[in-house]
Amino acid sequence: MTSEQERKEAITTLAEMINEIGVAMLTTVMPDGALRSRPMISAEPEFNGDLWFFTELDAGKIEEVQQNAQVNVSFASPHDQQYVSISGAAELVRDERKAEILWDANYSVWFPDDVDASQLGFLKVAVERAEYWDASTSRMVLIAGFAKAIFGGRHTQPEHGKIEWPEKQAATDEPQERE
């Protein structure tokens, strides 16, 4: 991003896309190095640079995150032509008060013991980098763009943005030796 205003606009777009899509695929690294993905629903309605997901404390993803905190979270809505890819560091968080505030009866499908379960916590992902593609602008604009591409040789591009959280990257980077 070239300016602070563009960065804020990109973060707003990212937050809107995350909220609209809702369901994400969380990818972790298994002990043998293989990647594993599973669906997750964001528990935090307001994106502030961290993603929050309810989880059971004994879920396989917890052991994977404890061994390798780097994860990817992807959101996709092919129907709306919106895609988000987020990478960051994940950690297990126990916060009973936050759980009570964010709990919704719809989570009972995955957590039958509800918010009072002793095995319920959060997987918090501190976003380090995010990238999104949004071709959901007016269908007529897209159709006109495709027509131009076909007849005029021009290629239409979706809105695309990259955002980095340098303050979070600095916390996870290895210390550098001074010369």
Side-chain angles (χ1 to χ4, degrees):
M1 304 270 73
T2 58
S3 75
E4 188 59 28
Q5 181 60 32
E6 288 175 326
R7 178 179 163 75
K8 286 179 183 178
E9 289 173 9
I11 290 172
T12 298
T13 298
L14 177 69
E16 289 170 355
M17 291 173 72
I18 289 169
N19 287 335
E20 286 174 19
I21 297 170
V23 177
M25 292 298 288
L26 170 74
T27 303
T28 56
V29 180
M30 294 175 57
D32 67 358
L35 300 177
R36 180 176 177 208
S37 298
R38 78 274 289 150
M40 304 288 286
I41 297 177
S42 180
E44 181 71 57
E46 296 295 323
F47 175 72
N48 65 356
D50 295 325
L51 295 172
W52 292 80
F53 302 99
F54 278 107
T55 186
E56 291 177 330
L57 301 179
D58 60 355
K61 63 184 157 286
I62 300 305
E63 181 180 337
E64 294 161 10
V65 164
Q66 289 171 338
Q67 291 182 6
N68 186 338
Q70 288 304 132
V71 299
N72 179 270
V73 182
S74 58
F75 295 82
S77 177
H79 180 265
D80 295 322
Q81 299 183 39
Q82 295 181 325
Y83 306 91
V84 175
S85 178
I86 293 173
S87 58
E91 67 176 303
L92 177 63
V93 175
R94 291 278 315 203
D95 187 334
E96 290 179 23
R97 185 167 184 267
K98 187 175 187 82
E100 288 175 9
I101 291 168
L102 295 178
W103 185 259
D104 181 297
N106 293 324
Y107 292 123
S108 296
V109 172
W110 295 278
F111 308 104
D113 293 333
D114 290 337
V115 71
D116 296 326
S118 62
Q119 288 297 308
L120 188 63
F122 288 103
L123 191 64
K124 174 186 170 190
V125 178
V127 178
E128 296 167 358
R129 293 178 180 90
E131 196 164 354
Y132 65 85
W133 298 263
D134 184 3
S136 67
T137 56
S138 167
R139 299 275 187 229
M140 292 309 294
V141 171
L142 285 174
I143 291 168
F146 289 135
K148 283 183 186 176
I150 292 169
F151 298 112
R154 293 186 199 165
H155 182 65
T156 12
Q157 291 290 328
E159 179 182 346
H160 177 237
K162 291 183 182 181
I163 309 164
E164 293 191 15
W165 276 258
E167 64 278 3
K168 291 184 180 179
Q169 289 176 333
T172 60
D173 288 345
E174 294 292 323
Q176 300 292 319
E177 286 188 27
R178 294 188 178 199
E179 295 181 82

mmCIF file with all atom_site columns, all heavy atoms in Angstrom, residues 23-27 37-42 53-54 61 74 110:
data_model
loop_
_atom_site.group_PDB
_atom_site.id
_atom_site.type_symbol
_atom_site.label_atom_id
_atom_site.label_alt_id
_atom_site.label_comp_id
_atom_site.label_asym_id
_atom_site.label_entity_id
_atom_site.label_seq_id
_atom_site.pdbx_PDB_ins_code
_atom_site.Cartn_x
_atom_site.Cartn_y
_atom_site.Cartn_z
_atom_site.occupancy
_atom_site.B_iso_or_equiv
_atom_site.pdbx_formal_charge
_atom_site.auth_seq_id
_atom_site.auth_comp_id
_atom_site.auth_asym_id
_atom_site.auth_atom_id
_atom_site.pdbx_PDB_model_num
ATOM 1   N N   . VAL A 1 23  ? -17.167 -18.219 6.761  1.00 0.00 ? 23  VAL A N   1
ATOM 2   C CA  . VAL A 1 23  ? -16.512 -19.507 6.975  1.00 0.00 ? 23  VAL A CA  1
ATOM 3   C C   . VAL A 1 23  ? -15.139 -19.493 6.309  1.00 0.00 ? 23  VAL A C   1
ATOM 4   O O   . VAL A 1 23  ? -14.998 -19.078 5.158  1.00 0.00 ? 23  VAL A O   1
ATOM 5   C CB  . VAL A 1 23  ? -17.350 -20.669 6.411  1.00 0.00 ? 23  VAL A CB  1
ATOM 6   C CG1 . VAL A 1 23  ? -16.631 -21.994 6.578  1.00 0.00 ? 23  VAL A CG1 1
ATOM 7   C CG2 . VAL A 1 23  ? -18.719 -20.708 7.080  1.00 0.00 ? 23  VAL A CG2 1
ATOM 8   N N   . ALA A 1 24  ? -14.150 -19.949 7.068  1.00 0.00 ? 24  ALA A N   1
ATOM 9   C CA  . ALA A 1 24  ? -12.774 -19.969 6.574  1.00 0.00 ? 24  ALA A CA  1
ATOM 10  C C   . ALA A 1 24  ? -12.239 -21.393 6.579  1.00 0.00 ? 24  ALA A C   1
ATOM 11  O O   . ALA A 1 24  ? -12.805 -22.279 7.226  1.00 0.00 ? 24  ALA A O   1
ATOM 12  C CB  . ALA A 1 24  ? -11.892 -19.102 7.469  1.00 0.00 ? 24  ALA A CB  1
ATOM 13  N N   . MET A 1 25  ? -11.153 -21.596 5.875  1.00 0.00 ? 25  MET A N   1
ATOM 14  C CA  . MET A 1 25  ? -10.383 -22.829 5.973  1.00 0.00 ? 25  MET A CA  1
ATOM 15  C C   . MET A 1 25  ? -9.083  -22.473 6.687  1.00 0.00 ? 25  MET A C   1
ATOM 16  O O   . MET A 1 25  ? -8.333  -21.606 6.224  1.00 0.00 ? 25  MET A O   1
ATOM 17  C CB  . MET A 1 25  ? -10.097 -23.421 4.595  1.00 0.00 ? 25  MET A CB  1
ATOM 18  C CG  . MET A 1 25  ? -11.319 -23.947 3.879  1.00 0.00 ? 25  MET A CG  1
ATOM 19  S SD  . MET A 1 25  ? -12.153 -25.309 4.721  1.00 0.00 ? 25  MET A SD  1
ATOM 20  C CE  . MET A 1 25  ? -10.999 -26.651 4.451  1.00 0.00 ? 25  MET A CE  1
ATOM 21  N N   . LEU A 1 26  ? -8.849  -23.112 7.827  1.00 0.00 ? 26  LEU A N   1
ATOM 22  C CA  . LEU A 1 26  ? -7.636  -22.915 8.609  1.00 0.00 ? 26  LEU A CA  1
ATOM 23  C C   . LEU A 1 26  ? -6.655  -24.009 8.230  1.00 0.00 ? 26  LEU A C   1
ATOM 24  O O   . LEU A 1 26  ? -6.978  -25.194 8.305  1.00 0.00 ? 26  LEU A O   1
ATOM 25  C CB  . LEU A 1 26  ? -7.955  -23.003 10.106 1.00 0.00 ? 26  LEU A CB  1
ATOM 26  C CG  . LEU A 1 26  ? -6.741  -23.048 11.031 1.00 0.00 ? 26  LEU A CG  1
ATOM 27  C CD1 . LEU A 1 26  ? -6.087  -21.683 11.111 1.00 0.00 ? 26  LEU A CD1 1
ATOM 28  C CD2 . LEU A 1 26  ? -7.154  -23.543 12.415 1.00 0.00 ? 26  LEU A CD2 1
ATOM 29  N N   . THR A 1 27  ? -5.452  -23.618 7.821  1.00 0.00 ? 27  THR A N   1
ATOM 30  C CA  . THR A 1 27  ? -4.417  -24.591 7.452  1.00 0.00 ? 27  THR A CA  1
ATOM 31  C C   . THR A 1 27  ? -3.295  -24.531 8.474  1.00 0.00 ? 27  THR A C   1
ATOM 32  O O   . THR A 1 27  ? -2.733  -23.469 8.731  1.00 0.00 ? 27  THR A O   1
ATOM 33  C CB  . THR A 1 27  ? -3.869  -24.300 6.047  1.00 0.00 ? 27  THR A CB  1
ATOM 34  O OG1 . THR A 1 27  ? -4.950  -24.311 5.108  1.00 0.00 ? 27  THR A OG1 1
ATOM 35  C CG2 . THR A 1 27  ? -2.835  -25.342 5.629  1.00 0.00 ? 27  THR A CG2 1
ATOM 36  N N   . SER A 1 37  ? -6.055  -28.756 6.508  1.00 0.00 ? 37  SER A N   1
ATOM 37  C CA  . SER A 1 37  ? -7.041  -27.676 6.542  1.00 0.00 ? 37  SER A CA  1
ATOM 38  C C   . SER A 1 37  ? -8.360  -28.185 7.078  1.00 0.00 ? 37  SER A C   1
ATOM 39  O O   . SER A 1 37  ? -8.711  -29.344 6.882  1.00 0.00 ? 37  SER A O   1
ATOM 40  C CB  . SER A 1 37  ? -7.264  -27.109 5.134  1.00 0.00 ? 37  SER A CB  1
ATOM 41  O OG  . SER A 1 37  ? -6.080  -26.558 4.632  1.00 0.00 ? 37  SER A OG  1
ATOM 42  N N   . ARG A 1 38  ? -9.067  -27.268 7.748  1.00 0.00 ? 38  ARG A N   1
ATOM 43  C CA  . ARG A 1 38  ? -10.395 -27.593 8.236  1.00 0.00 ? 38  ARG A CA  1
ATOM 44  C C   . ARG A 1 38  ? -11.214 -26.315 8.293  1.00 0.00 ? 38  ARG A C   1
ATOM 45  O O   . ARG A 1 38  ? -10.669 -25.216 8.448  1.00 0.00 ? 38  ARG A O   1
ATOM 46  C CB  . ARG A 1 38  ? -10.364 -28.289 9.592  1.00 0.00 ? 38  ARG A CB  1
ATOM 47  C CG  . ARG A 1 38  ? -10.140 -27.405 10.786 1.00 0.00 ? 38  ARG A CG  1
ATOM 48  C CD  . ARG A 1 38  ? -8.720  -27.106 11.142 1.00 0.00 ? 38  ARG A CD  1
ATOM 49  N NE  . ARG A 1 38  ? -8.020  -28.235 11.691 1.00 0.00 ? 38  ARG A NE  1
ATOM 50  C CZ  . ARG A 1 38  ? -6.721  -28.404 11.534 1.00 0.00 ? 38  ARG A CZ  1
ATOM 51  N NH1 . ARG A 1 38  ? -6.004  -27.534 10.889 1.00 0.00 ? 38  ARG A NH1 1
ATOM 52  N NH2 . ARG A 1 38  ? -6.110  -29.432 12.030 1.00 0.00 ? 38  ARG A NH2 1
ATOM 53  N N   . PRO A 1 39  ? -12.557 -26.433 8.174  1.00 0.00 ? 39  PRO A N   1
ATOM 54  C CA  . PRO A 1 39  ? -13.409 -25.232 8.192  1.00 0.00 ? 39  PRO A CA  1
ATOM 55  C C   . PRO A 1 39  ? -13.511 -24.651 9.598  1.00 0.00 ? 39  PRO A C   1
ATOM 56  O O   . PRO A 1 39  ? -13.527 -25.382 10.588 1.00 0.00 ? 39  PRO A O   1
ATOM 57  C CB  . PRO A 1 39  ? -14.763 -25.746 7.707  1.00 0.00 ? 39  PRO A CB  1
ATOM 58  C CG  . PRO A 1 39  ? -14.756 -27.207 8.003  1.00 0.00 ? 39  PRO A CG  1
ATOM 59  C CD  . PRO A 1 39  ? -13.335 -27.659 7.947  1.00 0.00 ? 39  PRO A CD  1
ATOM 60  N N   . MET A 1 40  ? -13.564 -23.331 9.658  1.00 0.00 ? 40  MET A N   1
ATOM 61  C CA  . MET A 1 40  ? -13.693 -22.602 10.918 1.00 0.00 ? 40  MET A CA  1
ATOM 62  C C   . MET A 1 40  ? -14.637 -21.420 10.678 1.00 0.00 ? 40  MET A C   1
ATOM 63  O O   . MET A 1 40  ? -14.676 -20.878 9.576  1.00 0.00 ? 40  MET A O   1
ATOM 64  C CB  . MET A 1 40  ? -12.340 -22.066 11.392 1.00 0.00 ? 40  MET A CB  1
ATOM 65  C CG  . MET A 1 40  ? -11.250 -23.114 11.557 1.00 0.00 ? 40  MET A CG  1
ATOM 66  S SD  . MET A 1 40  ? -11.482 -24.190 12.967 1.00 0.00 ? 40  MET A SD  1
ATOM 67  C CE  . MET A 1 40  ? -11.047 -23.110 14.310 1.00 0.00 ? 40  MET A CE  1
ATOM 68  N N   . ILE A 1 41  ? -15.326 -21.004 11.726 1.00 0.00 ? 41  ILE A N   1
ATOM 69  C CA  . ILE A 1 41  ? -16.193 -19.830 11.649 1.00 0.00 ? 41  ILE A CA  1
ATOM 70  C C   . ILE A 1 41  ? -15.626 -18.780 12.590 1.00 0.00 ? 41  ILE A C   1
ATOM 71  O O   . ILE A 1 41  ? -15.386 -19.054 13.765 1.00 0.00 ? 41  ILE A O   1
ATOM 72  C CB  . ILE A 1 41  ? -17.643 -20.168 12.042 1.00 0.00 ? 41  ILE A CB  1
ATOM 73  C CG1 . ILE A 1 41  ? -18.222 -21.168 11.055 1.00 0.00 ? 41  ILE A CG1 1
ATOM 74  C CG2 . ILE A 1 41  ? -18.492 -18.909 12.097 1.00 0.00 ? 41  ILE A CG2 1
ATOM 75  C CD1 . ILE A 1 41  ? -19.610 -21.633 11.389 1.00 0.00 ? 41  ILE A CD1 1
ATOM 76  N N   . SER A 1 42  ? -15.414 -17.603 12.057 1.00 0.00 ? 42  SER A N   1
ATOM 77  C CA  . SER A 1 42  ? -14.871 -16.517 12.858 1.00 0.00 ? 42  SER A CA  1
ATOM 78  C C   . SER A 1 42  ? -15.830 -16.169 13.987 1.00 0.00 ? 42  SER A C   1
ATOM 79  O O   . SER A 1 42  ? -17.024 -15.988 13.764 1.00 0.00 ? 42  SER A O   1
ATOM 80  C CB  . SER A 1 42  ? -14.611 -15.294 11.978 1.00 0.00 ? 42  SER A CB  1
ATOM 81  O OG  . SER A 1 42  ? -14.090 -14.245 12.749 1.00 0.00 ? 42  SER A OG  1
ATOM 82  N N   . PHE A 1 53  ? -11.329 -17.837 16.731 1.00 0.00 ? 53  PHE A N   1
ATOM 83  C CA  . PHE A 1 53  ? -12.159 -18.997 16.417 1.00 0.00 ? 53  PHE A CA  1
ATOM 84  C C   . PHE A 1 53  ? -12.366 -19.816 17.688 1.00 0.00 ? 53  PHE A C   1
ATOM 85  O O   . PHE A 1 53  ? -11.394 -20.084 18.413 1.00 0.00 ? 53  PHE A O   1
ATOM 86  C CB  . PHE A 1 53  ? -11.472 -19.897 15.375 1.00 0.00 ? 53  PHE A CB  1
ATOM 87  C CG  . PHE A 1 53  ? -11.137 -19.211 14.087 1.00 0.00 ? 53  PHE A CG  1
ATOM 88  C CD1 . PHE A 1 53  ? -9.855  -18.746 13.850 1.00 0.00 ? 53  PHE A CD1 1
ATOM 89  C CD2 . PHE A 1 53  ? -12.094 -19.034 13.101 1.00 0.00 ? 53  PHE A CD2 1
ATOM 90  C CE1 . PHE A 1 53  ? -9.527  -18.119 12.652 1.00 0.00 ? 53  PHE A CE1 1
ATOM 91  C CE2 . PHE A 1 53  ? -11.783 -18.406 11.900 1.00 0.00 ? 53  PHE A CE2 1
ATOM 92  C CZ  . PHE A 1 53  ? -10.494 -17.961 11.683 1.00 0.00 ? 53  PHE A CZ  1
ATOM 93  N N   . PHE A 1 54  ? -13.612 -20.226 17.961 1.00 0.00 ? 54  PHE A N   1
ATOM 94  C CA  . PHE A 1 54  ? -13.846 -21.156 19.062 1.00 0.00 ? 54  PHE A CA  1
ATOM 95  C C   . PHE A 1 54  ? -13.199 -22.484 18.710 1.00 0.00 ? 54  PHE A C   1
ATOM 96  O O   . PHE A 1 54  ? -13.186 -22.893 17.539 1.00 0.00 ? 54  PHE A O   1
ATOM 97  C CB  . PHE A 1 54  ? -15.352 -21.384 19.282 1.00 0.00 ? 54  PHE A CB  1
ATOM 98  C CG  . PHE A 1 54  ? -16.016 -20.319 20.106 1.00 0.00 ? 54  PHE A CG  1
ATOM 99  C CD1 . PHE A 1 54  ? -16.866 -19.402 19.515 1.00 0.00 ? 54  PHE A CD1 1
ATOM 100 C CD2 . PHE A 1 54  ? -15.794 -20.245 21.479 1.00 0.00 ? 54  PHE A CD2 1
ATOM 101 C CE1 . PHE A 1 54  ? -17.497 -18.425 20.279 1.00 0.00 ? 54  PHE A CE1 1
ATOM 102 C CE2 . PHE A 1 54  ? -16.420 -19.264 22.240 1.00 0.00 ? 54  PHE A CE2 1
ATOM 103 C CZ  . PHE A 1 54  ? -17.270 -18.356 21.650 1.00 0.00 ? 54  PHE A CZ  1
ATOM 104 N N   . LYS A 1 61  ? -5.786  -29.548 16.002 1.00 0.00 ? 61  LYS A N   1
ATOM 105 C CA  . LYS A 1 61  ? -5.156  -28.311 15.544 1.00 0.00 ? 61  LYS A CA  1
ATOM 106 C C   . LYS A 1 61  ? -4.361  -27.624 16.656 1.00 0.00 ? 61  LYS A C   1
ATOM 107 O O   . LYS A 1 61  ? -3.411  -26.912 16.390 1.00 0.00 ? 61  LYS A O   1
ATOM 108 C CB  . LYS A 1 61  ? -6.187  -27.361 14.941 1.00 0.00 ? 61  LYS A CB  1
ATOM 109 C CG  . LYS A 1 61  ? -7.239  -26.879 15.888 1.00 0.00 ? 61  LYS A CG  1
ATOM 110 C CD  . LYS A 1 61  ? -8.260  -26.022 15.152 1.00 0.00 ? 61  LYS A CD  1
ATOM 111 C CE  . LYS A 1 61  ? -9.581  -25.966 15.839 1.00 0.00 ? 61  LYS A CE  1
ATOM 112 N NZ  . LYS A 1 61  ? -10.386 -27.174 15.731 1.00 0.00 ? 61  LYS A NZ  1
ATOM 113 N N   . SER A 1 74  ? -7.964  -19.031 4.943  1.00 0.00 ? 74  SER A N   1
ATOM 114 C CA  . SER A 1 74  ? -8.474  -18.558 3.657  1.00 0.00 ? 74  SER A CA  1
ATOM 115 C C   . SER A 1 74  ? -9.995  -18.531 3.682  1.00 0.00 ? 74  SER A C   1
ATOM 116 O O   . SER A 1 74  ? -10.637 -19.404 4.248  1.00 0.00 ? 74  SER A O   1
ATOM 117 C CB  . SER A 1 74  ? -7.969  -19.441 2.512  1.00 0.00 ? 74  SER A CB  1
ATOM 118 O OG  . SER A 1 74  ? -8.351  -20.786 2.721  1.00 0.00 ? 74  SER A OG  1
ATOM 119 N N   . TRP A 1 110 ? -21.439 -27.385 16.764 1.00 0.00 ? 110 TRP A N   1
ATOM 120 C CA  . TRP A 1 110 ? -20.073 -27.909 16.863 1.00 0.00 ? 110 TRP A CA  1
ATOM 121 C C   . TRP A 1 110 ? -19.653 -28.154 18.306 1.00 0.00 ? 110 TRP A C   1
ATOM 122 O O   . TRP A 1 110 ? -18.771 -28.950 18.570 1.00 0.00 ? 110 TRP A O   1
ATOM 123 C CB  . TRP A 1 110 ? -19.084 -26.943 16.207 1.00 0.00 ? 110 TRP A CB  1
ATOM 124 C CG  . TRP A 1 110 ? -19.307 -26.831 14.743 1.00 0.00 ? 110 TRP A CG  1
ATOM 125 C CD1 . TRP A 1 110 ? -18.855 -27.695 13.773 1.00 0.00 ? 110 TRP A CD1 1
ATOM 126 C CD2 . TRP A 1 110 ? -20.058 -25.842 14.068 1.00 0.00 ? 110 TRP A CD2 1
ATOM 127 N NE1 . TRP A 1 110 ? -19.296 -27.290 12.544 1.00 0.00 ? 110 TRP A NE1 1
ATOM 128 C CE2 . TRP A 1 110 ? -20.039 -26.140 12.688 1.00 0.00 ? 110 TRP A CE2 1
ATOM 129 C CE3 . TRP A 1 110 ? -20.759 -24.718 14.488 1.00 0.00 ? 110 TRP A CE3 1
ATOM 130 C CZ2 . TRP A 1 110 ? -20.685 -25.355 11.744 1.00 0.00 ? 110 TRP A CZ2 1
ATOM 131 C CZ3 . TRP A 1 110 ? -21.410 -23.939 13.540 1.00 0.00 ? 110 TRP A CZ3 1
ATOM 132 C CH2 . TRP A 1 110 ? -21.355 -24.271 12.187 1.00 0.00 ? 110 TRP A CH2 1
#
